[in-house]
Amino acid sequence: MGFSGHLVFARSKRPLLEAPVFNSISQELKDTVHAWWPRPGGWQTLQFDHGLWEDGYLSALVGWTGAPACVADVSDSDIAFVSGLGTNGQHWQAWLNLDNAAALLTEEPEDLDDASLWVGTPAFNEAVRHKRAELDVNVPADAEGAIVWAAAAGIPATAQQPRIEELLRSRETFAEDLFSALLDELGFPQAAQPSPEP
């Protein structure tokens, strides 16, 4: 059983969960939020279970932190849809695990009674190939948007667009791993195990 929920990446001197945008989440639910190892410079990643994240939170979080942020909507660890937002309103988005995304986004024929009889058929495979090609067209612009967003976050411009495109087209068992790898490739400092409290 994979993870379904949201991965939220932002910079703050204070714990991200203290952001006012999360005040509507009860303490009991806040206790279920998992913090990944932080990245130097105040960069934090929070893992929210499905149903705790609302679409409007990203812009509120950027406003509170005064820094670009992004969120990955993960479905059963198979795919993730990443949305990034800069302080100037600049927005980018990208799918992770394109093959899985194409299979999920392929529309079923209207006259279909049982979807399970369609999956895996030659017609289904052809439809997935078409959807995969559609998604692939967006990869260069998605990669460019991510690089511009990272630069606006003050990250030194070391990211190579071909490498970001390759990552966006790559496949991993866990979409969460691709999200972490994307942040690494964009040049964000590597996550490190926090020092134990004295």
Side-chain angles (χ1 to χ4, degrees):
M1 199 54 195
F3 166 71
S4 290
H6 292 83
L7 303 174
V8 180
F9 180 70
R11 182 175 64 196
S12 173
K13 292 190 172 96
R14 291 163 55 189
L16 263 190
L17 210 48
E18 291 181 7
V21 69
F22 302 131
N23 287 349
S24 60
I25 299 175
S26 72
Q27 189 56 49
E28 186 181 354
L29 288 176
K30 280 185 180 179
D31 290 343
T32 68
V33 177
H34 171 68
W36 287 14
W37 286 0
R39 293 171 182 256
W43 292 102
Q44 304 171 47
T45 305
L46 296 180
Q47 182 173 314
F48 288 80
D49 287 338
H50 186 67
L52 294 185
W53 180 262
E54 303 287 342
D55 285 343
Y57 284 0
L58 187 59
S59 58
L61 196 59
V62 168
W64 181 72
T65 62
C70 71
V71 59
D73 183 353
V74 183
S75 178
D76 202 21
S77 291
D78 287 336
I79 61 169
F81 184 67
V82 186
S83 302
L85 185 65
T87 52
N88 61 354
Q90 184 254 343
H91 181 262
W92 67 278
Q93 57 191 37
W95 286 99
L96 301 179
N97 268 349
L98 274 191
D99 292 341
N100 292 347
L104 182 80
L105 296 170
T106 297
E107 292 180 21
E108 299 171 358
E110 289 180 14
D111 58 353
L112 197 67
D113 291 329
D114 185 351
S116 66
L117 297 178
W118 187 56
V119 174
T121 64
F124 171 80
N125 294 336
E126 184 60 25
V128 170
R129 265 195 300 278
H130 276 292
K131 179 55 76 174
R132 173 73 169 75
E134 271 178 41
L135 295 175
D136 196 78
V137 168
N138 298 323
V139 166
D142 295 344
E144 185 181 355
I147 290 169
V148 169
W149 170 83
I155 299 304
T158 56
Q160 303 294 315
Q161 179 149 343
R163 179 67 194 111
I164 301 295
E165 290 181 26
E166 184 184 328
L167 189 143
L168 293 180
R169 291 183 171 113
S170 66
R171 184 178 193 149
E172 284 289 342
T173 304
F174 298 102
E176 302 95 299
D177 292 343
L178 274 177
F179 180 67
S180 187
L182 176 62
L183 296 175
D184 291 345
E185 270 314 317
L186 287 170
F188 287 93
Q190 295 276 329
Q193 184 170 10
S195 316
E197 299 275 335

